[in-house]
Amino acid sequence: MESTDLRTEVLVIGAGLSGAISSQRLAQAGVGVTCLEQGHWNALEAYPGNKDDFELQAMGPWNANPNIRKGVADYQILDDSSDIKPLLYNGVGGSTVMFSAHWMRFLPSDFCSYSMDGVGVNWPIGYQDLAAYYLETEFDIGVSGIAGDPAYPDRPAYPMPPLPIQRWGERVAEAHHRLDWHWWPGSNAITSQPYQGRRPCVQRSTCRAGCNEGAKGSVDQSIWPKAIKSGAKLMTGVRVSRLLVDKKGRASGALFVDAEGRTRQIKADVVIMAAHAIGTARLLLKSTSPAWPDGLANSSGQIGRNLMMHPLSRMVGFFDEPMGSWQGHWGQSIYSLEFAETRADNDFVRGSKWNLSPTGGPLTAALYPLDSVQPMGKNLHEHVDKWLGRSALWGMTGEDLPHPNNHLILDKDQLDADGDGLPRLVYKTTENSKRMLEFMSKRARESLLEAGAYEVAKQTLAPEAGWHALGTCRMGDDPLNSVVDRWNCCHDIPNLLIVDGSVFPTSSCVNPAATIAAVAARAANHLISHRQEH
Amino acid sequence: MINEKSQELMTNLAKYLLPGSESQPPAVDLNISGPPLERALAVRPDLESVVTEILERFKESGECETANFVDSLSASDLRSLLTVLCGAYFLLPEVRKALGYSGQQALTPSRGGFGAEELVVSQMGKAKRYRTPPSMESIPSTMVDPIPE
């Protein structure tokens, strides 16, 4: 049964990073805001990090791949046509519950790759438009790091000093010093000291399956408590099935299924989509009507297009020295932007961000998906001996350029609970990315050998590492080829905003969370100061 | 759950996959196919049907040469089998003690600096390396998709 019994000024769909940032700012400004989230809260004790079977749980019920995890709030994503499998989390906090918390600002050139390198597309905004929001959200989330990195414009101090870079970080830092290559202590959304009532990191290295300490700045810990205290309402266990439009063609709310299985409506003056690049595009494509036969706010045909997934290579270095490298934040120990910018002598454009990480326990060692053959028997035992506590891992993320043929569609045959097509990812790694990752693998090998590794092993392309789905509702000034304007308002429906990573016109090579937060904060502030126009 | 015959089959596979080494005990010495396997499957119930089916095929093969059987497994099946077998094995206190691995522990946060501070100071003295974009006003918002399929 359907009932129209709910009303709010601003409706936010999705309680992840961008939804939390938006809700907090709106509530603090006195705007009535209600957020609908299909998942639930997690108690810190629910996370497996402090259990002895952590590794086994992290590969199953706490896997970041929703198709493996199959949680109650997860929806299936068809990924057999995608080189990279999507990773995300549905629940309060969204993917920040399981992310590795690398907190990196985009580089200035990331916003104008077309003008500078002739590829991709320019953003309608730049680094300078986001600088203040980067800083504010670093304090909201709680980021540790150290200012002064020559790879970035000058910036004020971080809220907290960096986490320890660990022995393996020191070895690689010394190597890069000798090579005259860039490196810098990792900036992470992880507390290095008590912060706003949260405990400091205890270096358990289980960040990827939730933080038992609340030290990681997942927004269920860092943002939502403040948002709720300011008056934001958060409804959990409710699944939005489509968006609603009034007779004037304005967004008017959403239809959702509540925790008891009842179909309900919520009316709103403004609707903000914050459901991840996959979830937001999916919901807009589901919300068809005679006026919007190809999906809501999709006159450009761009919704679902230009999906970017950040191809990733990995290189593991094996050392003689015991370094306890199953501990430490995970989290980046150090990062390098030595090869982040376009170089004239490369056979690819744009670049890669490297992050150095610990390497996990014995089960991770035994099953880590490298290019080499899966070890078995005596080889498996030897491999674990070699890996456990004596290794370090470079992850090399390549900037993924937008391409219209890399896209999300709704499948015609496999349907969801509403009878709509399940989201299907169609994604191929470009030749530019392949050349880039091959180059990065060679350089990462040099890095680790210089650091004293006696052997290295690589994974050329990590198909299971699709953390950074971006770009399915891109931002631009031209309504013919973009979905939202520079203030995140849909060109077609100005009181419908999109604030998650789907609006990114290009992907940078660095982790997107900091920029998602800054873009969402900027959009929320603009909405607050222009709300009468909506 | 895994029955007696299946346990026997799993033991034969464990002899091949986790035979032990100088630093790690043989899995079969630790009754890997009994309670340890049950515990692993309790964490990964989604793999039980896959593992059961693998064991059934092993049985139908007449428990042929184990190496040949393992070689015949798909990458996905091999990963499922190793996940529960290694998952069970590396949970055992005897194995962890032999490896010197005490699990993922909460450590006392360091108050003594983050490490390599002098090298960071050296990095700070280097020239800025980011590229300064032209002013945003002069940049056309042009759409291009230059990467060929």
Side-chain angles (χ1 to χ4, degrees):
Chain A
M1 178 176 288
E2 204 173 287
S3 61
T4 306
D5 58 353
L6 293 171
R7 167 152 199 90
T8 184
E9 279 184 80
V10 178
L11 172 64
V12 176
I13 298 173
L17 176 57
S18 60
I21 294 275
S22 304
S23 299
Q24 178 199 14
R25 286 178 177 250
L26 290 162
Q28 287 175 342
V31 179
V33 56
T34 302
C35 178
L36 303 185
E37 167 54 51
Q38 62 192 331
H40 300 275
W41 290 92
N42 290 313
L44 296 183
E45 191 52 37
Y47 298 131
N50 59 3
K51 319 288 190 304
D52 67 348
D53 58 3
F54 158 72
E55 289 190 287
L56 199 50
Q57 290 208 50
M59 292 178 185
W62 285 97
N63 197 304
N65 184 330
N67 293 339
I68 295 173
R69 184 175 64 238
K70 295 179 180 170
V72 291
D74 292 322
Y75 55 91
Q76 189 180 357
I77 300 169
L78 305 175
D79 61 12
D80 54 320
S81 304
S82 178
D83 288 350
I84 299 177
K85 311 307 174 192
L87 305 181
L88 54 90
Y89 185 73
N90 296 307
V92 179
S95 298
T96 64
V97 168
M98 303 186 84
F99 81 153
S100 294
H102 304 186
W103 203 264
M104 304 283 294
R105 297 181 179 196
F106 275 15
L107 298 164
S109 74
D110 290 334
F111 298 93
C112 41
S113 63
Y114 177 68
S115 289
M116 298 190 78
D117 296 323
V119 295
V121 56
N122 292 331
W123 292 51
I125 60 175
Y127 183 92
Q128 70 275 22
D129 295 304
L130 294 179
Y133 298 101
Y134 276 131
L135 189 63
E136 287 178 12
T137 48
E138 285 163 3
F139 278 84
D140 288 339
I141 297 277
V143 178
S144 58
I146 183 167
D149 183 353
Y152 280 99
D154 291 340
R155 52 152 299 146
Y158 283 89
M160 285 168 278
L163 290 156
I165 69 171
Q166 304 289 358
R167 179 63 188 134
W168 57 91
E170 290 180 9
R171 291 190 70 153
V172 175
E174 289 159 4
H176 279 223
H177 183 70
R178 290 192 293 274
L179 290 166
D180 197 23
W181 285 4
H182 175 264
W183 75 276
W184 199 251
S187 46
N188 295 284
I190 302 173
T191 55
S192 59
Q193 58 192 32
Y195 187 79
Q196 296 184 351
R198 287 159 49 206
R199 288 177 251 168
C201 173
V202 295
Q203 301 282 284
R204 192 185 274 119
S205 202
T206 57
C207 314
R208 59 199 160 117
C211 175
N212 294 105
E213 308 305 315
K216 191 170 74 169
S218 56
V219 293
D220 57 319
Q221 297 297 315
S222 58
I223 302 293
W224 272 113
K226 299 174 205 164
I228 290 169
K229 192 175 178 183
S230 299
K233 293 177 182 169
L234 173 55
M235 297 175 65
T236 59
V238 295
R239 179 176 55 78
V240 175
S241 52
R242 62 195 60 236
L243 302 182
L244 301 172
V245 181
D246 65 17
K247 290 176 183 170
K248 295 178 182 172
R250 293 166 51 82
S252 61
L255 206 60
F256 67 96
V257 179
D258 71 12
E260 284 73 46
R262 297 173 299 185
T263 299
R264 300 175 69 183
Q265 280 186 31
I266 181 167
K267 294 286 189 181
D269 299 326
V270 174
V271 176
I272 296 179
M273 292 300 301
H276 187 273
I278 294 174
T280 288
R282 174 198 183 207
L283 198 47
L284 292 170
L285 291 173
K286 278 162 65 88
S287 298
T288 54
S289 66
W292 299 102
D294 299 322
L296 192 61
N298 195 21
S299 67
S300 66
Q302 291 296 314
I303 293 179
R305 295 270 172 204
N306 304 300
L307 172 67
M308 296 171 281
M309 298 281 279
H310 264 176
L312 175 80
S313 283
R314 295 182 176 122
M315 186 69 69
V316 184
F318 301 100
F319 296 82
D320 283 328
E321 179 188 6
M323 301 184 289
S325 56
W326 61 77
Q327 298 275 169
H329 52 283
W330 188 326
Q332 52 185 351
S333 156
I334 66 172
Y335 65 83
S336 174
L337 297 174
E338 177 66 26
F339 303 104
E341 299 272 17
T342 296
R343 293 181 173 204
D345 54 346
N346 285 336
D347 63 352
F348 57 87
V349 288
R350 309 299 295 163
S352 169
K353 176 246 178 178
W354 299 10
N355 46 263
L356 194 72
S357 304
T359 50
L363 186 58
T364 304
L367 299 177
Y368 207 83
L370 299 167
D371 287 352
S372 49
V373 174
Q374 168 66 47
M376 293 181 286
K378 292 274 187 197
N379 289 341
L380 191 148
H381 293 297
E382 286 170 10
H383 182 70
V384 171
D385 275 338
K386 197 165 71 173
W387 180 296
L388 188 65
R390 297 167 181 261
S391 53
L393 188 155
W394 272 127
M396 295 88 75
T397 303
E399 174 163 350
D400 201 7
L401 290 163
H403 195 288
N405 290 346
N406 283 337
H407 61 285
L408 176 153
I409 54 173
L410 300 186
D411 196 76
K412 290 176 181 164
D413 301 318
Q414 299 187 64
L415 307 181
D416 64 16
D418 302 316
D420 300 313
L422 288 169
R424 170 177 289 283
L425 306 187
V426 180
Y427 175 89
K428 285 178 70 68
T429 313
T430 63
E431 290 303 317
N432 188 68
S433 291
K434 288 176 184 171
R435 289 194 294 270
M436 182 195 296
L437 294 183
E438 188 60 37
F439 172 89
M440 297 303 160
S441 293
K442 289 175 183 166
R443 300 291 84 77
R445 179 176 185 276
E446 288 176 45
S447 163
L448 291 168
L449 293 178
E450 177 66 28
Y454 63 85
E455 187 182 327
V456 294
K458 77 169 176 174
Q459 184 184 28
T460 305
L461 175 66
E464 80 291 356
W467 273 112
H468 303 159
L470 300 165
T472 53
C473 301
R474 69 181 175 186
M475 176 189 282
D477 285 337
D478 187 347
L480 293 177
N481 53 29
S482 60
V483 179
V484 300
D485 66 15
R486 60 179 60 205
W487 297 108
N488 296 71
C489 300
C490 287
H491 292 297
D492 292 337
I493 304 177
N495 74 329
L496 174 61
L497 280 71
I498 305 173
V499 298
D500 53 39
S502 62
V503 303
F504 284 25
T506 56
S507 67
S508 176
C509 61
V510 308
N511 311 70
T515 303
I516 291 173
V519 167
R522 179 177 178 272
N525 278 23
H526 184 264
L527 176 60
I528 290 163
S529 58
H530 292 75
R531 55 203 270 211
Q532 299 310 321
E533 298 169 19
H534 291 282
Chain B
M1 292 300 289
I2 301 292
N3 61 29
E4 200 170 315
K5 178 59 184 172
S6 295
Q7 283 188 24
E8 188 183 318
L9 292 164
M10 187 60 98
T11 298
N12 288 339
L13 289 171
K15 277 180 191 166
Y16 174 74
L17 292 168
L18 292 166
S21 66
E22 283 184 18
S23 65
Q24 297 160 54
V28 292
D29 288 1
L30 303 169
N31 190 23
I32 192 76
S33 306
L37 185 65
E38 282 189 17
R39 182 166 180 216
L41 285 172
V43 178
R44 295 298 308 271
D46 56 311
L47 296 182
E48 183 167 345
S49 61
V50 180
V51 170
T52 302
E53 196 264 337
I54 290 168
L55 294 176
E56 190 61 32
R57 285 191 345 243
F58 188 36
K59 182 180 162 189
E60 286 171 3
S61 75
E63 297 178 51
C64 66
E65 180 64 34
T66 308
N68 291 340
F69 177 76
V70 170
D71 282 348
S72 75
L73 293 174
S74 68
S76 169
D77 281 354
L78 178 61
R79 186 168 180 83
S80 296
L81 178 62
L82 284 173
T83 298
V84 294
L85 203 51
C86 293
Y89 180 73
F90 290 117
L91 270 172
L92 292 167
E94 299 91 328
V95 177
R96 292 185 167 209
K97 187 176 178 188
L99 285 168
Y101 173 69
S102 50
Q104 306 302 128
Q105 298 294 316
L107 306 177
T108 303
S110 166
R111 297 280 186 238
F114 55 84
E117 285 85 352
E118 289 182 10
L119 295 182
V120 173
V121 171
S122 171
Q123 283 281 314
M124 284 176 174
K126 293 191 173 178
K128 291 287 186 187
R129 56 183 305 124
Y130 65 87
R131 294 188 295 161
T132 306
S135 76
M136 294 306 295
E137 287 72 27
S138 67
I139 298 173
S141 185
T142 310
M143 300 293 168
V144 289
D145 298 291
I147 304 299
E149 278 297 287

PDB file of all heavy atoms in Angstrom, chain A residues 327-344:
ATOM      1  N   GLN A 327      51.075  -5.660  10.188  1.00  0.00           N
ATOM      2  CA  GLN A 327      50.477  -4.586  10.995  1.00  0.00           C
ATOM      3  C   GLN A 327      50.632  -3.259  10.250  1.00  0.00           C
ATOM      4  O   GLN A 327      51.210  -3.204   9.169  1.00  0.00           O
ATOM      5  CB  GLN A 327      51.172  -4.506  12.355  1.00  0.00           C
ATOM      6  CG  GLN A 327      51.045  -5.742  13.191  1.00  0.00           C
ATOM      7  CD  GLN A 327      49.779  -5.834  14.020  1.00  0.00           C
ATOM      8  OE1 GLN A 327      49.474  -6.879  14.573  1.00  0.00           O
ATOM      9  NE2 GLN A 327      49.022  -4.761  14.131  1.00  0.00           N
ATOM     10  N   GLY A 328      50.138  -2.189  10.839  1.00  0.00           N
ATOM     11  CA  GLY A 328      50.219  -0.867  10.214  1.00  0.00           C
ATOM     12  C   GLY A 328      48.877  -0.477   9.624  1.00  0.00           C
ATOM     13  O   GLY A 328      48.023  -1.327   9.420  1.00  0.00           O
ATOM     14  N   HIS A 329      48.693   0.793   9.386  1.00  0.00           N
ATOM     15  CA  HIS A 329      47.424   1.236   8.802  1.00  0.00           C
ATOM     16  C   HIS A 329      47.358   0.841   7.331  1.00  0.00           C
ATOM     17  O   HIS A 329      48.341   0.879   6.612  1.00  0.00           O
ATOM     18  CB  HIS A 329      47.251   2.746   8.965  1.00  0.00           C
ATOM     19  CG  HIS A 329      48.419   3.554   8.480  1.00  0.00           C
ATOM     20  ND1 HIS A 329      49.579   3.665   9.200  1.00  0.00           N
ATOM     21  CD2 HIS A 329      48.612   4.278   7.355  1.00  0.00           C
ATOM     22  CE1 HIS A 329      50.434   4.422   8.527  1.00  0.00           C
ATOM     23  NE2 HIS A 329      49.877   4.797   7.407  1.00  0.00           N
ATOM     24  N   TRP A 330      46.155   0.535   6.896  1.00  0.00           N
ATOM     25  CA  TRP A 330      45.938   0.108   5.502  1.00  0.00           C
ATOM     26  C   TRP A 330      44.761   0.887   4.957  1.00  0.00           C
ATOM     27  O   TRP A 330      43.646   0.362   4.845  1.00  0.00           O
ATOM     28  CB  TRP A 330      45.640  -1.382   5.492  1.00  0.00           C
ATOM     29  CG  TRP A 330      45.589  -2.020   4.142  1.00  0.00           C
ATOM     30  CD1 TRP A 330      45.149  -1.485   2.966  1.00  0.00           C
ATOM     31  CD2 TRP A 330      45.984  -3.361   3.836  1.00  0.00           C
ATOM     32  NE1 TRP A 330      45.236  -2.398   1.954  1.00  0.00           N
ATOM     33  CE2 TRP A 330      45.746  -3.563   2.457  1.00  0.00           C
ATOM     34  CE3 TRP A 330      46.520  -4.413   4.572  1.00  0.00           C
ATOM     35  CZ2 TRP A 330      46.015  -4.772   1.814  1.00  0.00           C
ATOM     36  CZ3 TRP A 330      46.775  -5.610   3.940  1.00  0.00           C
ATOM     37  CH2 TRP A 330      46.535  -5.789   2.571  1.00  0.00           C
ATOM     38  N   GLY A 331      44.919   2.127   4.550  1.00  0.00           N
ATOM     39  CA  GLY A 331      45.931   3.150   4.786  1.00  0.00           C
ATOM     40  C   GLY A 331      47.169   3.027   3.903  1.00  0.00           C
ATOM     41  O   GLY A 331      47.598   1.960   3.496  1.00  0.00           O
ATOM     42  N   GLN A 332      47.689   4.228   3.605  1.00  0.00           N
ATOM     43  CA  GLN A 332      48.940   4.288   2.889  1.00  0.00           C
ATOM     44  C   GLN A 332      50.029   4.734   3.850  1.00  0.00           C
ATOM     45  O   GLN A 332      49.865   5.687   4.603  1.00  0.00           O
ATOM     46  CB  GLN A 332      48.854   5.206   1.671  1.00  0.00           C
ATOM     47  CG  GLN A 332      48.314   6.615   1.938  1.00  0.00           C
ATOM     48  CD  GLN A 332      48.140   7.434   0.683  1.00  0.00           C
ATOM     49  OE1 GLN A 332      48.573   7.043  -0.396  1.00  0.00           O
ATOM     50  NE2 GLN A 332      47.515   8.594   0.799  1.00  0.00           N
ATOM     51  N   SER A 333      51.142   4.014   3.787  1.00  0.00           N
ATOM     52  CA  SER A 333      52.306   4.362   4.580  1.00  0.00           C
ATOM     53  C   SER A 333      52.964   5.607   3.976  1.00  0.00           C
ATOM     54  O   SER A 333      53.142   6.623   4.646  1.00  0.00           O
ATOM     55  CB  SER A 333      53.231   3.148   4.588  1.00  0.00           C
ATOM     56  OG  SER A 333      54.537   3.498   4.834  1.00  0.00           O
ATOM     57  N   ILE A 334      53.326   5.495   2.709  1.00  0.00           N
ATOM     58  CA  ILE A 334      53.802   6.653   1.962  1.00  0.00           C
ATOM     59  C   ILE A 334      53.139   6.614   0.589  1.00  0.00           C
ATOM     60  O   ILE A 334      52.537   5.612   0.203  1.00  0.00           O
ATOM     61  CB  ILE A 334      55.342   6.666   1.793  1.00  0.00           C
ATOM     62  CG1 ILE A 334      55.816   5.509   0.915  1.00  0.00           C
ATOM     63  CG2 ILE A 334      56.038   6.614   3.151  1.00  0.00           C
ATOM     64  CD1 ILE A 334      57.303   5.587   0.544  1.00  0.00           C
ATOM     65  N   TYR A 335      53.222   7.736  -0.130  1.00  0.00           N
ATOM     66  CA  TYR A 335      52.779   7.728  -1.525  1.00  0.00           C
ATOM     67  C   TYR A 335      53.840   8.378  -2.395  1.00  0.00           C
ATOM     68  O   TYR A 335      54.756   9.046  -1.882  1.00  0.00           O
ATOM     69  CB  TYR A 335      51.420   8.428  -1.689  1.00  0.00           C
ATOM     70  CG  TYR A 335      51.372   9.903  -1.378  1.00  0.00           C
ATOM     71  CD1 TYR A 335      51.746  10.860  -2.328  1.00  0.00           C
ATOM     72  CD2 TYR A 335      50.933  10.362  -0.138  1.00  0.00           C
ATOM     73  CE1 TYR A 335      51.680  12.217  -2.046  1.00  0.00           C
ATOM     74  CE2 TYR A 335      50.866  11.724   0.152  1.00  0.00           C
ATOM     75  CZ  TYR A 335      51.243  12.653  -0.813  1.00  0.00           C
ATOM     76  OH  TYR A 335      51.181  13.997  -0.530  1.00  0.00           O
ATOM     77  N   SER A 336      53.740   8.152  -3.690  1.00  0.00           N
ATOM     78  CA  SER A 336      54.641   8.803  -4.635  1.00  0.00           C
ATOM     79  C   SER A 336      53.833   9.346  -5.805  1.00  0.00           C
ATOM     80  O   SER A 336      52.974   8.654  -6.349  1.00  0.00           O
ATOM     81  CB  SER A 336      55.702   7.824  -5.160  1.00  0.00           C
ATOM     82  OG  SER A 336      56.469   8.458  -6.185  1.00  0.00           O
ATOM     83  N   LEU A 337      54.135  10.590  -6.165  1.00  0.00           N
ATOM     84  CA  LEU A 337      53.526  11.210  -7.351  1.00  0.00           C
ATOM     85  C   LEU A 337      54.604  11.484  -8.405  1.00  0.00           C
ATOM     86  O   LEU A 337      54.463  12.385  -9.226  1.00  0.00           O
ATOM     87  CB  LEU A 337      52.789  12.491  -6.952  1.00  0.00           C
ATOM     88  CG  LEU A 337      51.610  12.276  -5.985  1.00  0.00           C
ATOM     89  CD1 LEU A 337      51.032  13.596  -5.515  1.00  0.00           C
ATOM     90  CD2 LEU A 337      50.522  11.424  -6.632  1.00  0.00           C
ATOM     91  N   GLU A 338      55.676  10.677  -8.335  1.00  0.00           N
ATOM     92  CA  GLU A 338      56.769  10.858  -9.286  1.00  0.00           C
ATOM     93  C   GLU A 338      56.271  10.761 -10.732  1.00  0.00           C
ATOM     94  O   GLU A 338      56.735  11.482 -11.609  1.00  0.00           O
ATOM     95  CB  GLU A 338      57.856   9.797  -9.039  1.00  0.00           C
ATOM     96  CG  GLU A 338      59.018   9.831 -10.011  1.00  0.00           C
ATOM     97  CD  GLU A 338      59.854  11.114  -9.894  1.00  0.00           C
ATOM     98  OE1 GLU A 338      59.870  11.713  -8.806  1.00  0.00           O
ATOM     99  OE2 GLU A 338      60.478  11.515 -10.898  1.00  0.00           O
ATOM    100  N   PHE A 339      55.333   9.862 -10.973  1.00  0.00           N
ATOM    101  CA  PHE A 339      54.872   9.627 -12.352  1.00  0.00           C
ATOM    102  C   PHE A 339      53.392   9.997 -12.508  1.00  0.00           C
ATOM    103  O   PHE A 339      52.664   9.378 -13.279  1.00  0.00           O
ATOM    104  CB  PHE A 339      55.114   8.165 -12.731  1.00  0.00           C
ATOM    105  CG  PHE A 339      56.554   7.746 -12.589  1.00  0.00           C
ATOM    106  CD1 PHE A 339      56.964   6.959 -11.515  1.00  0.00           C
ATOM    107  CD2 PHE A 339      57.508   8.171 -13.502  1.00  0.00           C
ATOM    108  CE1 PHE A 339      58.296   6.584 -11.365  1.00  0.00           C
ATOM    109  CE2 PHE A 339      58.844   7.814 -13.348  1.00  0.00           C
ATOM    110  CZ  PHE A 339      59.239   7.011 -12.286  1.00  0.00           C
ATOM    111  N   ALA A 340      52.958  11.003 -11.769  1.00  0.00           N
ATOM    112  CA  ALA A 340      51.533  11.357 -11.790  1.00  0.00           C
ATOM    113  C   ALA A 340      51.160  12.270 -12.949  1.00  0.00           C
ATOM    114  O   ALA A 340      50.002  12.309 -13.351  1.00  0.00           O
ATOM    115  CB  ALA A 340      51.150  12.027 -10.468  1.00  0.00           C
ATOM    116  N   GLU A 341      52.120  13.010 -13.450  1.00  0.00           N
ATOM    117  CA  GLU A 341      51.807  13.979 -14.508  1.00  0.00           C
ATOM    118  C   GLU A 341      52.264  13.447 -15.869  1.00  0.00           C
ATOM    119  O   GLU A 341      53.157  12.605 -15.951  1.00  0.00           O
ATOM    120  CB  GLU A 341      52.526  15.305 -14.215  1.00  0.00           C
ATOM    121  CG  GLU A 341      52.124  15.958 -12.896  1.00  0.00           C
ATOM    122  CD  GLU A 341      50.901  16.877 -13.025  1.00  0.00           C
ATOM    123  OE1 GLU A 341      50.177  16.766 -14.041  1.00  0.00           O
ATOM    124  OE2 GLU A 341      50.684  17.684 -12.108  1.00  0.00           O
ATOM    125  N   THR A 342      51.676  13.984 -16.915  1.00  0.00           N
ATOM    126  CA  THR A 342      52.074  13.615 -18.280  1.00  0.00           C
ATOM    127  C   THR A 342      53.540  13.972 -18.516  1.00  0.00           C
ATOM    128  O   THR A 342      54.001  15.034 -18.106  1.00  0.00           O
ATOM    129  CB  THR A 342      51.196  14.362 -19.300  1.00  0.00           C
ATOM    130  OG1 THR A 342      49.844  13.929 -19.132  1.00  0.00           O
ATOM    131  CG2 THR A 342      51.647  14.098 -20.731  1.00  0.00           C
ATOM    132  N   ARG A 343      54.251  13.043 -19.163  1.00  0.00           N
ATOM    133  CA  ARG A 343      55.643  13.297 -19.526  1.00  0.00           C
ATOM    134  C   ARG A 343      55.788  13.080 -21.030  1.00  0.00           C
ATOM    135  O   ARG A 343      55.252  12.104 -21.574  1.00  0.00           O
ATOM    136  CB  ARG A 343      56.586  12.325 -18.808  1.00  0.00           C
ATOM    137  CG  ARG A 343      56.648  12.533 -17.308  1.00  0.00           C
ATOM    138  CD  ARG A 343      57.612  11.543 -16.699  1.00  0.00           C
ATOM    139  NE  ARG A 343      57.826  11.828 -15.277  1.00  0.00           N
ATOM    140  CZ  ARG A 343      58.915  11.463 -14.610  1.00  0.00           C
ATOM    141  NH1 ARG A 343      59.883  10.807 -15.215  1.00  0.00           N
ATOM    142  NH2 ARG A 343      59.028  11.735 -13.332  1.00  0.00           N
ATOM    143  N   ALA A 344      56.544  13.959 -21.649  1.00  0.00           N
ATOM    144  CA  ALA A 344      56.651  13.925 -23.117  1.00  0.00           C
ATOM    145  C   ALA A 344      57.272  12.629 -23.615  1.00  0.00           C
ATOM    146  O   ALA A 344      56.971  12.182 -24.732  1.00  0.00           O
ATOM    147  CB  ALA A 344      57.473  15.117 -23.592  1.00  0.00           C
TER     148      ALA A 344
END
